[in-house]
Amino acid sequence: MYVAVKGGEAAIANAHRLLADRRRGDRSVPALRLDQIVEQLGLAVDRAMGEGSLYDRELAALALVQARGDLIEAIFLVRAYRTTLPRFGYSEPIDTGAMKIERRISATFKDLPGGQMLGPTFDYTHRLLDPSIVGEDAEVPAVRGVEDEQAPRVTDLLGRQGLIEPDGELPEGHEVGDLTREPLDFPLNRDLRLQALARGDEGFLLALGYSTQRGYGRTHPFVGEIRIGEVEVEFDIPELGFAVSLGRVRVTECQMVNQFKGSAKIPPQFTRGYGLVFGQAERKAMAMSLVDRALRAKEFGEDITAPAQDEEFVISHSDNVQATGFVEHLKLPHYVDFQAELDLIRRMRAEFEGKREAAE
Amino acid sequence: MSDEPLLKVSNLTKFYGSRLGCADVNFELYPGEVLAIVGESGSGKTTLLNTLSANLEPTSGEALYRMRDGSWRNIYELSEAERRFLTRTDWGFVHQNPADGLRMTVSAGANVGERLMAVGDRHYGCIRDTALDWLGRVEIATDRIDDQPRSFSGGMRQRLQIARNLVTGPRLVFMDEPTGGLDVSVQARLLDLLRQLVGELGLSAIVVTHDLAVARLLSHRMMVMKGGHVIEAGLTDRVLDDPREPYTQLLVSSILQV
Amino acid sequence: MNAVANYNFAYLDEQTKRMIRRAILKAVAIPGYQVPFSSREMPMPYGWGTGGVQVTASIIGPDDVLKVIDQGADDTTNAVSIRAFFAKVAQVATTTHTAEATIIQTRHRIPERKLEAGQILVYQVPIPEPLRFLEPRETETRKMHALEEYGLMHVKLYEDIARHGRIATTYAYPVKVEGRYVMDPSPTPKFDNPKMHRSEALQLFGAGREHRIYAVPPHTDVVSLDFEDHPFEIQHFEQPCALCGAEGVYLDEVILDDRGGHMYVCSDTDHCEERRDAGFVGVLGMQEAAE
């Protein structure tokens, strides 16, 4: 008798063994290799990298296997690794204008310098399950991508005519924040908001972005441009006095062009919502740009009436690693607190009965 | 009424960017005096009220308030802590919509008691007795003390809001259309109650209303606003019986036709 | 990527530890004030003690002896997991004995044995803001703390009494620290609140997900909020621990069968074991010995 709280250590060890077994599954099926995941589940890898805030395909693939395909668990693994890495410094801002583009579309202009490039997109595929793609023998002809091209950004084209607000300028002397190194302090500046959104949960941002389209904080968005491709990451080395290239990363950028705004000083201009995500993550980048614009309501003197416009609400709840931890912590034992409640409710019920009997 | 004013307002001006809210407002308010600010919507009366009650920062001008210790302070130069203390002890603010001034999910008793607890009252029984007393004074049945204002009628909510404001014995109360949104019969009862309380407690009050009947019943003096400016001011009976400005004459004649 | 080999002593890098220690120092200097700190992502989920683990990781040294409890017990799964984590990444000695520990990390309880000077109690805190459920906005609660506007806290207690005839808050019962800041003692039962008052031990609170650290230095006043005519009181149990016969301790209810049979045992397992070792026996303790 009375063994309920004993044996925690053994129970944990057993659970972990079982987990490892279930992760591996049927031993007669070949084990996954990381390169298979990197190559064939690329968008899952991209999401783990993006929301894990660590650009490393192989690590993300490992996290996916270790998490048995649970994306949020994989993101968590990546984050917990990332946090222990030393910081050497901050790179120069990447120049998406100099991106080697694989996909680039604009919904605002039919044709434009650089042209529209559909790239590897699910758009216009018919969502019919296709058994012919699986198996060793499935043949897919190799396609050499068009030579990666460069093209001016749509917002730069609009900007040259002053039709859209310039890229956000930070206040004088403001150093770009780092939400992984400094505690959040509401209200935030846009730099920190964008960081939070870039690692925010795709599903949460998607739902919020969607809500703005349905009238909860409308922003009248147009997709100025979505571009996916590789950009150079440069790092300024003070000893050298110039920036050196560290390599290239693939990113997805979405520039949303939104309803105009003017004031006594500035003639009406379109405003921007911005999304930038590691890898190919178009849905996330679009949702991010909608939410970014919605969160700028205060800056433009708009009424804050909808959840997507509420900075504390959105940013405090957008991180899925935080959210899953706190939701799931409810399964930890709470019996001490519950005992306290149990005791109180029994007392109150006894009093209630006592009063009723006295009244009868 | 005392010889020394409670509030001295000079050259109070409020711009929203380039748009005028109210301009060059000057007046003095004496203890026990009720001042009505009337005008149609957009005349600047609500801007003036929000500026006077320190909810808005004026563009220029000042408002000197005689504190309980007798010292004169410009309310716009108070620290936030001092201002917040003032607004929950020596001042009251009655909103047009009671939901803006009440905690709708907290019982009537706690709504009245909150200000007492905020200034340090720590005796449940005393707080409750005071709340009961105030519910009685604003004609709310005392067995409703543990009910939330959500279950109250509009008139009851407004009376509860008044009790919540008066429980700390403030010397100055701001009211924004206190009878707006109520049925005519309920309005009359509330006005009666307000007039009685103001008289009993010797309160000073600044009441914004578009309803000249409210001004007539409640106020000693009134100011008529149009386009952000005070165009006529004087004793209420004088302004209403003998309006000098054509605009005031128009306002007065329109009410008489009702 | 050979896990442990690459990690620093106690997992966190030294820069991070320094940052956290600065936050702790500030917290000690302003008892009860919630100091924002840059919480790191930890290898356990948010809400599972990441704040406490970061505090412990920042203050622990090779000579420390660590005890970890959850719900008062050393052998609940999360306590086991956290203790194993530090044994692995800091190779420190661990113990289940309160008296031997230099650092005790806890979730939801304060040990029954009186803590002594030199000991540090590290609390895992889920929601550090005592005003949070009355006012959800951080920007507003910060102002309320700064201006000492705590009336709302009493509104909540008033409502309890009006509705239930008594203060119905049984855990995470708000306290005022050194006459200034209202503080959430973490979800410990209010039974433990008096143990915080003028404790000889240093009490540190870490909330990882919410990025806050706060502290109660030794010998600091910690007063539970109440009304003069409804004074704060702690839970009383009608029977002693069924295993060791202890009275005046916090008890867990253990359901024995599906016919309503239950017994009460010490929530503090170490306390219970020590008493039994010393020969104290409760009503059901005999049976266990006999089995």
Side-chain angles (χ1 to χ4, degrees):
Chain A
M1 61 153 291
Y2 189 43
V3 288
V5 297
K6 289 281 176 194
E9 218 145 332
I12 290 176
N14 289 338
H16 290 176
R17 268 207 306 279
L18 196 55
L19 173 69
D21 175 77
R22 295 296 189 270
R23 180 184 55 66
R24 178 59 183 82
D26 185 345
R27 305 299 195 279
S28 67
V29 175
L32 277 170
R33 294 196 320 264
L34 296 189
D35 56 352
Q36 291 175 319
I37 294 167
V38 169
E39 292 302 320
Q40 295 176 41
L41 291 177
L43 299 193
V45 168
D46 282 356
R47 185 165 171 201
M49 286 199 316
E51 292 173 31
S53 311
L54 184 69
Y55 195 91
D56 188 320
R57 288 218 148 76
E58 205 167 22
L59 274 183
L62 171 60
L64 280 168
V65 181
Q66 196 176 323
R68 304 177 68 193
D70 180 331
L71 271 168
I72 292 183
E73 183 65 27
I75 290 162
F76 184 8
L77 285 166
V78 172
R79 291 261 193 101
Y81 180 71
R82 174 196 197 271
T83 190
T84 65
L85 300 176
R87 298 287 192 285
F88 296 116
Y90 295 90
S91 76
E92 294 295 296
I94 56 169
D95 179 7
T96 53
M99 177 188 286
K100 290 199 160 177
I101 295 169
E102 190 177 36
R103 168 169 167 78
R104 187 261 196 139
I105 53 164
S106 168
T108 49
F109 297 101
K110 184 173 183 194
D111 201 5
L112 65 169
Q116 310 250 16
M117 295 162 66
L118 282 182
T121 177
F122 292 118
D123 299 350
Y124 320 112
T125 60
H126 296 136
R127 269 64 168 196
L128 303 173
L129 286 171
D130 181 4
S132 76
I133 66 165
V134 290
E136 297 279 326
D137 333 318
E139 292 222 349
V140 180
V143 179
R144 244 169 57 92
V146 276
E147 282 304 306
D148 288 342
E149 292 193 31
Q150 292 194 14
R153 292 183 298 196
V154 170
T155 45
D156 293 342
L157 301 174
L158 285 169
R160 237 164 266 156
Q161 304 162 56
L163 294 172
I164 193 165
E165 58 166 340
D167 262 331
E169 293 285 323
L170 288 166
E172 191 81 22
H174 177 87
E175 280 193 31
V176 177
D178 179 348
L179 64 80
T180 68
R181 300 276 118 172
E182 294 297 326
L184 283 182
D185 187 6
F186 292 107
L188 305 175
N189 271 314
R190 194 172 169 215
D191 52 342
L192 284 172
R193 274 206 312 257
L194 287 170
Q195 281 174 30
L197 295 177
R199 54 167 27 202
D201 182 74
E202 177 171 314
F204 181 69
L205 297 187
L206 178 67
L208 282 175
Y210 178 45
S211 73
T212 68
Q213 290 179 285
R214 291 192 66 260
Y216 291 86
R218 291 182 71 189
T219 59
H220 308 272
F222 296 94
V223 169
E225 183 176 10
I226 294 167
R227 52 171 60 201
I228 304 175
E230 293 194 337
V231 291
E232 202 101 29
V233 178
E234 295 189 328
F235 188 75
D236 189 44
I237 298 177
E239 289 83 355
L240 295 180
F242 55 86
V244 297
S245 171
L246 299 179
R248 311 176 65 78
V249 294
R250 174 180 292 271
V251 295
T252 303
E253 181 187 58
C254 175
Q255 297 243 24
M256 210 58 93
V257 176
N258 300 85
Q259 197 168 50
F260 33 83
K261 188 73 202 170
S263 69
K265 284 181 212 140
I266 313 167
Q269 288 182 314
F270 287 113
T271 57
R272 297 176 191 237
Y274 189 70
L276 183 77
V277 191
F278 278 154
Q280 178 168 347
E282 193 163 295
R283 182 189 303 121
K284 165 77 182 281
M286 292 178 75
M288 174 176 170
S289 62
L290 287 173
V291 176
D292 169 48
R293 177 58 186 82
L295 287 175
R296 298 177 68 199
K298 208 159 139 196
E299 188 185 327
F300 295 121
E302 295 160 353
D303 285 340
I304 295 178
T305 53
Q309 298 170 313
D310 185 329
E311 175 180 283
E312 268 201 60
F313 176 78
V314 173
I315 305 297
S316 299
H317 303 116
S318 62
D319 190 299
N320 52 25
V321 177
Q322 286 178 10
T324 197
F326 202 48
V327 167
E328 293 194 52
H329 109 283
L330 289 173
K331 66 195 170 194
L332 288 179
H334 282 81
Y335 40 75
V336 164
D337 300 342
F338 187 70
Q339 188 62 54
E341 295 285 82
L342 210 54
D343 172 65
L344 179 67
I345 201 167
R346 280 187 181 133
R347 264 170 222 270
M348 291 198 306
R349 286 172 63 90
E351 268 170 35
F352 182 87
E353 291 299 329
K355 270 188 211 156
R356 203 164 59 178
E357 272 163 29
E360 272 166 12
Chain B
M1 284 183 205
S2 138
D3 295 343
E4 213 182 351
L6 189 64
L7 182 70
K8 295 194 274 197
V9 175
S10 44
N11 302 317
L12 206 62
T13 299
K14 171 71 189 174
F15 276 94
Y16 299 98
S18 58
R19 195 166 55 79
L20 175 68
C22 62
D24 289 325
V25 177
N26 293 280
F27 69 90
E28 289 182 350
L29 185 74
Y30 283 80
E33 187 179 36
V34 179
L35 172 72
I37 304 171
V38 301
E40 50 196 3
S41 59
S43 62
K45 59 187 192 306
T46 300
T47 296
L48 178 58
L49 188 76
N50 283 327
T51 311
L52 289 170
S53 56
N55 289 323
L56 289 175
E57 189 88 2
T59 311
S60 60
E62 62 175 21
L64 297 174
Y65 182 72
R66 183 157 56 79
M67 308 294 276
R68 285 194 184 191
D69 66 2
S71 65
W72 285 95
R73 299 289 301 274
N74 182 353
I75 59 171
Y76 308 114
E77 285 169 6
L78 295 175
S79 71
E80 187 165 20
E82 289 174 311
R83 190 171 55 72
R84 281 171 81 125
F85 187 76
L86 186 71
T87 54
R88 63 169 195 248
T89 54
D90 211 19
W91 287 6
F93 197 111
V94 177
H95 296 264
Q96 174 172 6
N97 178 2
D100 294 339
L102 292 173
R103 292 193 190 278
M104 297 304 279
T105 56
V106 156
S107 71
N111 261 292
V112 178
E114 180 173 355
R115 277 181 161 225
L116 297 174
M117 293 183 257
V119 296
D121 277 21
R122 291 292 177 264
H123 193 286
Y124 175 83
C126 295
I127 293 166
R128 199 167 167 84
D129 288 346
T130 311
L132 280 170
D133 177 45
W134 270 100
L135 290 183
R137 290 168 82 162
V138 296
E139 299 166 10
I140 292 174
T142 47
D143 62 359
R144 304 297 303 270
I145 186 168
D146 293 330
D147 294 343
Q148 295 181 358
R150 286 195 288 201
S151 65
F152 286 9
S153 69
M156 279 170 78
R157 289 180 186 184
Q158 198 55 296
R159 295 200 301 277
L160 180 64
Q161 192 191 181
I162 290 163
R164 174 177 160 90
N165 270 286
L166 299 187
V167 67
T168 49
R171 293 185 300 158
L172 173 60
V173 178
F174 301 94
M175 301 186 207
D176 185 10
E177 305 276 9
T179 59
L182 297 177
D183 293 343
V184 178
S185 62
V186 180
Q187 274 189 21
R189 184 172 165 206
L190 186 72
L191 278 173
D192 232 28
L193 178 73
L194 270 177
R195 192 160 63 159
Q196 180 200 330
L197 286 171
V198 165
E200 268 174 26
L201 302 166
L203 285 177
S204 301
I206 297 177
V207 185
V208 154
T209 178
H210 69 282
D211 185 345
L212 294 185
V214 170
R216 165 87 82 181
L217 265 169
L218 277 184
S219 71
H220 304 105
R221 277 195 306 142
M222 60 187 282
M223 302 198 304
V224 181
M225 292 194 72
K226 180 170 186 277
H229 294 270
V230 176
I231 55 160
E232 183 163 2
L235 292 174
T236 300
D237 290 342
R238 201 281 295 155
V239 174
L240 292 180
D241 297 339
D242 179 22
R244 289 178 192 165
E245 289 294 317
Y247 177 75
T248 316
Q249 290 165 2
L250 198 70
L251 276 185
V252 171
S253 64
S254 65
I255 177 103
L256 290 179
Q257 283 162 11
V258 172
Chain C
M1 282 181 11
N2 250 335
V4 185
N6 288 339
Y7 292 110
N8 189 31
F9 175 79
Y11 180 77
L12 294 174
D13 59 282
E14 292 304 315
Q15 246 182 323
T16 297
K17 289 187 196 170
R18 270 201 296 278
M19 175 274 293
I20 293 174
R21 286 197 287 259
R22 276 196 295 271
I24 292 172
L25 282 176
K26 184 168 179 183
V28 169
I30 317 170
Y33 170 73
Q34 299 165 48
V35 182
F37 82 110
S38 175
S39 179
R40 298 293 192 250
E41 269 132 345
M42 298 300 284
M44 55 276 293
Y46 285 109
W48 297 53
T50 54
V53 168
Q54 288 180 77
V55 169
T56 300
S58 307
I59 58 171
I60 201 165
D63 300 331
D64 274 309
V65 180
L66 178 69
K67 171 182 164 83
V68 183
I69 52 173
D70 187 343
Q71 316 291 303
D74 295 274
D75 53 2
T76 38
T77 43
N78 203 42
V80 169
S81 165
I82 290 172
R83 192 166 55 239
F85 174 74
F86 280 109
K88 187 167 169 183
V89 299
Q91 296 97 43
V92 291
T94 60
T95 183
T96 57
H97 297 301
T98 303
E100 288 171 8
T102 55
I103 300 173
I104 302 168
Q105 179 166 329
T106 179
R107 178 169 169 265
H108 294 195
R109 273 311 309 277
I110 300 175
E112 303 293 357
R113 170 191 276 270
K114 189 165 167 285
L115 298 180
E116 289 163 17
Q119 289 187 304
I120 301 177
L121 186 59
V122 178
Y123 297 74
Q124 301 171 198
V125 181
I127 305 268
E129 179 50 71
L131 303 164
R132 180 62 67 238
F133 298 107
L134 303 166
E135 170 56 62
R137 266 166 213 291
E138 179 66 25
T139 35
E140 186 59 25
T141 53
R142 220 159 49 198
K143 202 173 280 175
M144 292 161 84
H145 281 294
L147 301 176
E148 254 185 291
E149 286 188 7
Y150 293 131
L152 203 52
M153 204 82 237
H154 270 86
V155 169
K156 154 103 183 38
L157 301 181
Y158 173 98
E159 287 288 271
D160 270 1
I161 301 173
R163 206 170 306 152
H164 306 299
R166 59 157 56 85
I167 296 174
T169 305
T170 56
Y171 60 93
Y173 191 104
V175 294
K176 196 163 208 180
V177 180
E178 204 61 14
R180 175 59 180 84
Y181 284 97
V182 167
M183 185 187 94
D184 183 326
S186 88
T188 50
K190 65 179 178 179
F191 179 88
D192 286 337
N193 276 19
K195 296 180 188 155
M196 307 177 73
H197 182 57
R198 297 187 186 164
S199 166
E200 285 177 27
L202 169 63
Q203 303 174 72
L204 301 176
F205 300 76
R209 198 176 35 79
E210 299 274 342
H211 302 216
R212 293 292 183 275
I213 285 173
Y214 51 101
V216 175
H219 309 288
T220 302
D221 282 347
V222 178
V223 179
S224 304
L225 300 183
D226 62 1
F227 286 103
E228 287 157 17
D229 48 343
H230 283 266
F232 171 79
E233 52 185 30
I234 60 172
Q235 291 105 334
H236 289 287
F237 293 88
E238 272 146 29
Q239 62 287 86
C241 170
L243 296 179
C244 76
E247 293 182 5
V249 296
Y250 198 79
L251 301 176
D252 280 336
E253 181 174 342
V254 178
I255 294 177
L256 296 173
D257 52 43
D258 56 3
R259 298 181 304 278
H262 58 191
M263 67 169 179
Y264 289 88
V265 297
C266 282
S267 132
D268 183 338
T269 48
D270 172 58
H271 185 72
C272 196
E273 275 161 29
E274 277 186 5
R275 279 179 55 87
R276 278 181 284 157
D277 288 348
F280 293 97
V281 179
V283 238
L284 291 166
M286 288 302 282
Q287 287 180 13
E288 192 184 40
E291 272 169 23

